[in-house]
Amino acid sequence: MTSQAPTNDRFLRALRRQPVDRTPVWLMRQAGRYLPEYRATRAQAGSFLNLAKNPELACEVTLQPLRRFPLDAAILFSDILTVPDAMGLGLYFADGEGPKFERPIRSADDIARLAVPDMETELRYVMDAVRTIRRELNNSVPLIGFSGSPWTLACYMIEGGGSDNYSKVKSLALNDPAAMHQLLGVVTDAVIEYLKAQHLAGAQALQVFDTWGGVLSPAMYREFSLRYLQRIAAELPRGEAEDRAPLILFGKGNDPYLEELATSGAEAVGVDWTIGLGEAARRIDARVALQGNLDPVTLYATPEAIRNEVRIALDDYRDGNAGSREGHVFNLGHGMSPDMNPDHVGVLVQAVHELSAR
Ligand code: CP3
């Protein structure tokens, strides 16, 4: 299924560091509440989870931003917490409070009971969404599949939801590192199976979101997050040559570890806006592609300011990448927010394409 190249293959070519006519761009959380058509489909579904679990509706909201903007990739509409949900933790969304688990991990027994879910039964709805989206995209642009990183999933599984200081998950890592590694091991097995199944269902690139790796000290990051990202990069089967689905490792606050991420075996690293793209490009030294990294808050600024920031980011990357724009995928440094103006997204996408034309 993945063997047919998309008509617009800028994104995949940039991830392979091949020449392209313009820098490709997509945005984390490009489908979501800032779009009135998303809010309408979500209202029809009744809840976010009903939306994510219905392949036809998940496909519809995946395509919505692509109908408005000439984005260079689609991203599966789903959530990183589908995996722990399928492991039996009971995902739900309390109004205005973000994600929560009915049965968070509380004991060694809870960890011992964890097993890798079956991808074509317990997570069938995700694979069906991937297949439906591929069919509807009709090879116009590539489809990105994704997963949370083992550490980031462990944060939600142990905290039971979002957290201010990650005290529960860090306490487990400090007090009982063997138990923490046991949990991270089975979650990593699940992440590898999950990404592999999305690739087999049709996803042409794969991104791991290590949203909370940056809350760790360097020693703990290397032990509890990086090690498992490296395992995924080394072990994930993702095809060969032109059919290979590139793997993007995105992390908030991952800039101290760029060299280690660039030699992990992944094809690309995604960074947030707290590092300049020029410095990041110099440090990864053309070993992988780089994705990022406009501060999402830039989208609240005026169109002139947005264009200016896009130009700065594009040129900074080129200056750090030996004068070449190749190997850059433009994105935000983190996801979009519900109160952003869709027109400003249009300004951003157009600015990337215009200002990067070769
Ligand atoms: O990028 C995309 O367009 C694809 C869709 C996507 C969603 N979640 C949809 C979603 C992706 C890639 C995710 C990943 C995700 N989910 C992450 C990692 C990326 C990141 O932002 O760091 C994390 C940490 C989660 C966990 C999660 N899911 C949170 C914290 C929330 C609440 C967000 C909020 O602002 O309320 C969700 C729910 C969620 N996932 C929404 C969307 C569009 C909002 C749900 C709604 O419609 O109410």
Side-chain angles (χ1 to χ4, degrees):
M1 170 135 204
T2 49
S3 57
Q4 205 170 345
T7 311
N8 173 354
D9 63 352
R10 274 183 200 125
F11 170 68
L12 294 174
R13 289 182 60 85
L15 289 173
R16 299 186 202 114
R17 296 191 60 92
Q18 293 166 342
V20 285
D21 60 341
R22 288 148 204 271
T23 298
V25 52
W26 70 280
L27 305 177
M28 289 188 272
R29 292 276 173 94
Q30 64 191 22
R33 287 166 291 182
Y34 77 103
L35 291 175
E37 57 271 36
Y38 172 86
R39 297 195 296 268
T41 310
R42 187 185 183 284
Q44 186 192 334
S47 71
F48 167 73
L49 275 181
N50 286 346
L51 179 53
K53 291 189 174 183
N54 179 318
E56 297 297 328
L57 294 181
C59 174
E60 165 59 24
V61 294
T62 299
L63 300 181
Q64 285 171 350
L66 292 138
R67 294 191 190 115
R68 280 189 184 240
F69 317 114
L71 293 155
D72 296 299
I75 179 161
L76 163 70
F77 187 83
S78 188
D79 200 81
I80 62 168
L81 301 178
T82 53
V83 170
D85 184 47
M87 292 172 111
L89 274 66
L91 175 64
Y92 69 100
F93 284 82
D95 251 351
E97 281 185 78
K100 289 205 184 308
F101 285 117
E102 282 164 28
R103 293 172 293 278
I105 300 297
R106 286 285 174 261
S107 67
D109 283 350
D110 292 344
I111 294 175
R113 272 195 294 271
L114 291 173
V116 175
D118 183 76
M119 299 301 150
E120 284 294 349
T121 54
E122 285 142 303
L123 287 159
R124 170 86 187 237
Y125 67 93
V126 176
M127 308 313 150
D128 283 344
V130 171
R131 286 184 279 262
T132 306
I133 297 163
R134 270 302 302 273
R135 186 187 73 219
E136 293 300 315
L137 279 173
N138 196 19
N139 283 314
S140 50
V141 293
L143 175 63
I144 306 166
F146 69 90
S147 169
S149 74
W151 168 257
T152 294
L153 293 177
C155 286
Y156 287 97
M157 293 169 77
I158 293 168
E159 298 290 338
S163 172
D164 291 332
N165 59 5
Y166 302 91
S167 58
K168 294 191 183 77
V169 64
K170 287 184 181 178
S171 295
L172 180 67
L174 291 164
N175 296 336
D176 194 348
M180 190 70 208
H181 284 300
Q182 190 186 344
L183 182 144
L184 289 166
V186 58
V187 172
T188 302
D189 294 341
V191 166
I192 291 172
E193 289 303 313
Y194 189 53
L195 291 171
K196 183 174 98 183
Q198 290 181 48
H199 176 235
L200 292 175
Q204 293 140 298
L206 301 164
Q207 175 157 318
V208 174
F209 288 87
D210 189 26
T211 307
W212 304 125
V215 305
L216 290 166
S217 68
M220 285 183 75
Y221 174 85
R222 292 192 172 92
E223 178 172 354
F224 297 106
S225 184
L226 179 65
R227 187 196 290 192
Y228 294 94
L229 296 173
Q230 289 167 329
R231 224 193 97 195
I232 295 165
E235 293 178 16
L236 174 65
R238 49 193 187 277
E240 299 300 328
E242 295 288 295
D243 280 340
R244 189 171 175 85
L247 175 68
I248 307 164
L249 299 180
F250 165 76
K252 283 266 283 149
N254 64 3
D255 53 286
Y257 317 106
L258 278 184
E259 290 83 354
E260 288 146 288
L261 292 165
T263 50
S264 64
E267 284 73 16
V269 175
V271 294
D272 72 26
W273 60 95
T274 59
I275 182 167
L277 286 182
E279 184 199 329
R282 274 186 288 276
R283 284 175 46 201
I284 65 170
D285 196 21
R287 284 176 293 214
V288 292
L290 189 59
Q291 178 175 279
N293 73 341
L294 213 59
D295 182 347
V297 166
T298 310
L299 283 169
Y300 296 116
T302 61
E304 296 69 35
I306 294 169
R307 276 181 70 85
N308 195 45
E309 292 301 309
V310 167
R311 184 196 311 272
I312 290 169
L314 285 168
D315 291 353
D316 191 19
Y317 177 82
R318 181 199 55 203
D319 294 346
N321 188 50
S324 158
R325 298 193 191 276
E326 312 315 350
H328 182 202
V329 172
F330 203 98
N331 205 316
L332 302 173
H334 200 192
M336 295 188 59
S337 298
D339 60 348
M340 286 171 170
N341 179 348
D343 293 342
H344 287 197
V345 175
V347 169
L348 183 148
V349 172
Q350 199 192 347
V352 173
H353 284 162
E354 251 178 57
L355 299 172
S356 68
R358 318 291 203 254

